[in-house]
């Protein structure tokens, strides 16, 4: 049997293929054989670099998945701490959202009577500020949640700059979450800062919160305002497939986009 | 897909673990995609972390999960994958809060220091390590796809020569061994040239 080379020993040690006795001998040799130790130091730099390369490759694959990600189904987003006591509010929200749907559908019907329009015109025809916000109730003394409640009130009073300032304070206190990003997106959209609104609403999609369907609808509108038709179409198609409050006007808006 | 934590989900998790063990990357990415929103929300709200940090922690958790599978530290599941991943995430979040350092994908990458290095300051050694890791990563990028794959299978996935032979479509293990040797030599040459 031939004596293994240093490289073969490095490989076997790294891959944990040495017997206990050989491993002990290897470690003892590192202490006494300078050349062997220097060779092993070089070897570990190489293997650590290979590990690092592969880690970054995986991270890149994750980022690419993020970039092409369609939001997961509501089931997978469901938070375990959602409690039955939230249900009535949630249902009430859907009724209100349905009322918004009806209003928007009426706006859509009026729009149908008008001339063909560009995507920004479609945006203008369909956009109205969100009438009903349903934020989670603050638990205990949660200053960040209080700020979000105040920001929601400011939004509903059309005081969008104040709302944005309050949201920024909330972000500094507790970081971003879905509700915060959603509210931020709504305010930015109202201020006609469409690209920023798009970014905020896109980020909001990463979180679980009550008004995800609303967030998706306003994201589609932000795309429309910027003439981003394929993105708007894709988002509307998702809404159309969901049995939610925006199904009707998404179908309508998609049809209008097809006609152009 | 079943809700995480249910019996059928555990079966699915076990299947997914087997797929990852066999070197399939797509199921890993799908798991990342599926759990990310909930994980990031949970981490940022429970540990007051910015979204970006929670996202990086989740990516690191997924990388460590993959490595634990490959190194056989995780060979079978007693709880759901979600529970397992959230536990790692919790530890990483607490670690981050303690150290207040940027999330690093260089952690646990051990580099042996010989006597010549021992005189260096720790900070200097860290800098040298970072530079070296990036040099090797660039050299890996410069290799052809086949060499990148065989080196990664051997040194990252720690696959056996038999598995590498099968994955690369070589006729014998000896061919796989020779090819691996040539690729490592190419990598060393590229590093010396850089």
């Amino acid at each position: 049997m031939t004596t293994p080379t240093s490289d073969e020993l490095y490989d076997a040690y790294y891959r944990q293929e040495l017997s206990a006795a050989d491993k002990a001998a290897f470690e003892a040799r590192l202490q006494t054989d300078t050349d062997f130790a220097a060779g092993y130091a070089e070897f570990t730099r190489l293997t650590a670099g290979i590990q690092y390369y592969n880690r970054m490759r995986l991270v890149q694959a994750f980022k690419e998945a993020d970039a092409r990600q369609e939001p997961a189904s509501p089931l997978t987003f469901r938070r375990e701490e959602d409690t039955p006591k939230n249900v009535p509010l949630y249902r009430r929200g859907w009724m209100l959202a349905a009322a918004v749907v009806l209003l928007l559908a009426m706006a859509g019907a009026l729009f149908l009577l008008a001339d063909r329009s560009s995507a920004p015109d479609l945006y203008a025809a369909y956009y109205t500020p969100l009438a009903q916000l349903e934020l989670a109730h603050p638990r205990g003394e949660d200053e960040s949640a209080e700020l979000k409640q105040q920001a929601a009130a400011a939004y509903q009073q059309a005081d969008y700059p104040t709302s944005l300032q309050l949201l920024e304070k909330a972000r500094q206190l507790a970081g971003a979450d879905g509700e915060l990003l959603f509210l931020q997106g709504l305010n930015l959209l109202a201020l006609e800062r469409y690209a920023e609104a798009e970014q905020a609403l896109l980020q909001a999609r990463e979180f679980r919160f009550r008004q995800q369907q609303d967030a998706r609808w306003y994201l589609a509108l932000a795309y429309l305002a910027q003439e981003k038709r394929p993105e708007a179409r894709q988002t509307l198609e998702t809404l159309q497939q969901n049995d939610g409050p925006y199904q009707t006007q998404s179908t309508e808006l998609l049809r209008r986009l097809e006609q152009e | 897909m079943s809700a995480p934590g249910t019996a059928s989900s555990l079966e699915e998790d076990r299947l997914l673990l087997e797929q990852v063990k066999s070197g399939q990357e797509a199921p890993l990415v799908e798991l990342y995609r599926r759990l990310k929103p909930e994980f990031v929300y949970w981490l940022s709200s429970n540990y007051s972390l910015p979204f970006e940090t929670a996202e990086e922690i989740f990516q690191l958790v997924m990388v460590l999960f993959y490595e634990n599978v490959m190194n056989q530290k995780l060979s079978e599941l007693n709880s759901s994958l979600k529970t397992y991943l959230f536990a790692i995430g919790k530890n990483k979040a607490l670690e981050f809060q303690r150290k207040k350092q940027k999330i690093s994908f260089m952690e646990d990458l051990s580099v042996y220091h010989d006597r010549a290095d021992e005189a260096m300051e720790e900070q200097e050694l860290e800098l040298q390590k970072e530079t070296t890791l990036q040099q090797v990563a660039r050299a890996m990028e410069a290799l052809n796809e086949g060499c990148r794959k065989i080196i990664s299978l051997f040194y990252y996935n720690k696959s056996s020569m038999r598995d590498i032979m099968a994955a690369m479509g070589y006729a014998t293990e000896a061919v796989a061994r020779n090819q691996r040797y040539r690729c490592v030599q190419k990598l060393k040459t590229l590093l010396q040239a850089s």
Side-chain angles (χ1 to χ4, degrees), chain A residues 9-76:
Chain A
L9 282 174
Y10 299 150
D11 280 344
Y13 183 74
Y14 172 76
R15 289 163 56 92
Q16 299 179 333
E17 290 169 351
L18 293 179
S19 65
D22 288 342
K23 187 180 169 209
F26 182 97
E27 285 166 357
R29 192 174 166 189
L30 281 180
Q31 303 304 315
T32 54
D33 186 338
T34 321
D35 289 345
F36 186 74
Y40 183 64
E42 201 52 49
F43 172 83
T44 59
R45 287 183 194 121
L46 195 73
T47 49
I50 293 166
Q51 279 182 280
Y52 176 68
Y53 164 79
N54 277 283
R55 284 182 176 186
M56 298 321 290
R57 198 181 51 76
L58 280 178
V59 170
Q60 186 58 33
F62 297 147
K63 287 181 176 170
E64 282 168 14
D66 285 339
R68 63 171 183 270
Q69 182 173 348
E70 268 301 296
S73 69
L75 180 66
T76 56

Side-chain angles (χ1 to χ4, degrees), chain A:
Chain A
M1 192 174 165
T2 56
T3 310
T5 64
S6 295
D7 282 343
E8 285 168 344
L9 282 174
Y10 299 150
D11 280 344
Y13 183 74
Y14 172 76
R15 289 163 56 92
Q16 299 179 333
E17 290 169 351
L18 293 179
S19 65
D22 288 342
K23 187 180 169 209
F26 182 97
E27 285 166 357
R29 192 174 166 189
L30 281 180
Q31 303 304 315
T32 54
D33 186 338
T34 321
D35 289 345
F36 186 74
Y40 183 64
E42 201 52 49
F43 172 83
T44 59
R45 287 183 194 121
L46 195 73
T47 49
I50 293 166
Q51 279 182 280
Y52 176 68
Y53 164 79
N54 277 283
R55 284 182 176 186
M56 298 321 290
R57 198 181 51 76
L58 280 178
V59 170
Q60 186 58 33
F62 297 147
K63 287 181 176 170
E64 282 168 14
D66 285 339
R68 63 171 183 270
Q69 182 173 348
E70 268 301 296
S73 69
L75 180 66
T76 56
F77 273 114
R78 185 169 56 83
R79 283 176 61 192
E80 284 173 351
E81 59 267 37
D82 276 352
T83 55
K85 69 181 177 184
N86 290 333
V87 172
L89 270 174
Y90 182 70
R91 285 188 182 150
R92 247 189 326 199
W94 278 72
M95 287 169 69
L96 287 160
V100 174
V101 169
L102 193 62
L103 282 170
L104 289 168
M106 286 165 68
L110 285 172
F111 176 77
L112 279 174
L113 300 173
D115 292 336
R116 283 181 181 181
S117 310
S118 66
D121 286 343
L122 282 174
Y123 163 80
Y126 278 83
Y127 173 77
T128 53
L130 184 61
Q132 183 70 22
L133 280 162
E134 291 178 82
L135 301 188
H137 293 297
R139 292 175 188 174
E141 289 183 9
D142 184 343
E143 199 180 338
S144 164
E146 282 296 342
L147 285 166
K148 281 191 288 184
Q149 295 284 357
Q150 290 171 26
Y155 172 79
Q156 286 175 328
Q157 288 161 20
D159 188 356
Y160 307 123
T162 301
S163 183
L164 280 174
Q165 281 171 10
L166 290 164
L167 290 171
E168 186 50 39
K169 279 186 195 166
R171 183 201 280 266
Q172 283 167 11
L173 278 175
D177 60 28
E179 281 184 344
L180 187 147
L181 291 162
F182 169 54
L183 263 173
Q184 198 176 31
L186 289 179
N187 279 293
L188 291 165
L189 204 57
L191 291 167
E192 300 180 2
R193 290 160 61 180
Y194 304 124
E196 292 168 83
E198 176 195 326
Q199 285 310 309
L201 292 167
L202 269 174
Q203 282 184 36
R205 290 204 314 188
E206 305 285 348
F207 295 89
R208 162 74 181 157
F209 60 102
R210 287 182 186 167
Q211 290 183 281
Q212 282 183 331
Q213 296 286 322
D214 298 298
R216 203 168 287 167
W217 169 252
Y218 283 95
L219 176 63
L221 292 180
Y223 284 138
L224 274 183
Q226 298 173 86
E227 280 275 13
K228 291 185 174 178
R229 287 159 185 263
E231 291 89 345
R233 205 170 279 130
Q234 196 180 10
T235 310
L236 289 167
E237 279 166 1
T238 309
L239 283 166
Q240 189 186 30
Q241 285 157 17
N242 289 341
D243 184 20
Y246 292 100
Q247 197 175 31
T248 310
Q249 75 266 38
S250 294
T251 306
E252 183 57 44
L253 196 40
L254 275 168
R255 196 170 66 77
R256 297 293 303 159
L257 277 167
E258 293 302 321
Q259 282 176 350
E260 284 193 75

Side-chain angles (χ1 to χ4, degrees), chain B residues 58-160:
Chain B
F58 186 51
Q59 287 166 352
L60 180 62
V61 165
M62 292 301 292
V63 165
L64 295 177
F65 160 66
Y66 182 78
E67 291 180 1
N68 286 347
V69 173
M70 288 304 164
N71 293 332
Q72 296 179 349
K73 284 183 191 166
L74 175 66
S75 51
E76 63 178 281
L77 284 173
N78 298 316
S79 60
S80 73
L81 270 180
K82 182 182 153 187
T83 304
Y84 177 81
L85 294 170
F86 276 48
I88 304 180
K90 180 184 169 185
N91 289 336
K92 290 289 157 201
L94 293 172
E95 205 176 286
F96 174 81
Q97 284 178 329
R98 250 193 336 268
K99 295 182 183 168
K100 291 283 174 205
Q101 283 176 351
K102 196 176 179 300
I103 301 300
S104 170
F105 289 91
M106 296 184 190
E107 75 166 57
D108 307 327
L109 296 184
S110 55
V111 173
Y112 179 82
H113 299 298
D114 63 16
R115 286 177 192 169
D117 289 337
E118 280 169 10
M120 284 191 196
E121 295 288 331
E122 196 177 328
Q123 206 175 355
E124 204 178 340
L125 279 173
E126 274 303 299
L127 190 66
Q128 189 194 58
K129 177 179 158 185
E130 187 176 341
T131 310
T132 305
L133 297 185
Q134 285 169 354
Q135 278 174 345
V136 178
R138 278 197 294 274
M140 283 289 286
E141 277 294 341
L143 286 174
N144 63 47
E145 175 62 29
C147 273
R148 275 202 297 269
K149 192 170 175 189
I150 196 168
I151 287 176
S152 297
L153 285 171
F154 189 78
Y155 289 108
Y156 189 61
N157 292 7
K158 298 187 180 165
S159 304
S160 68

Side-chain angles (χ1 to χ4, degrees), chain B residues 171-190:
Chain B
T172 63
E173 284 184 45
V175 174
R177 251 191 300 277
N178 285 339
Q179 194 56 34
R180 180 193 69 84
Y181 176 78
R182 284 198 198 102
C183 289
V184 172
Q185 293 310 310
K186 270 190 207 169
L187 181 63
K188 286 180 178 172
T189 308
L190 283 166

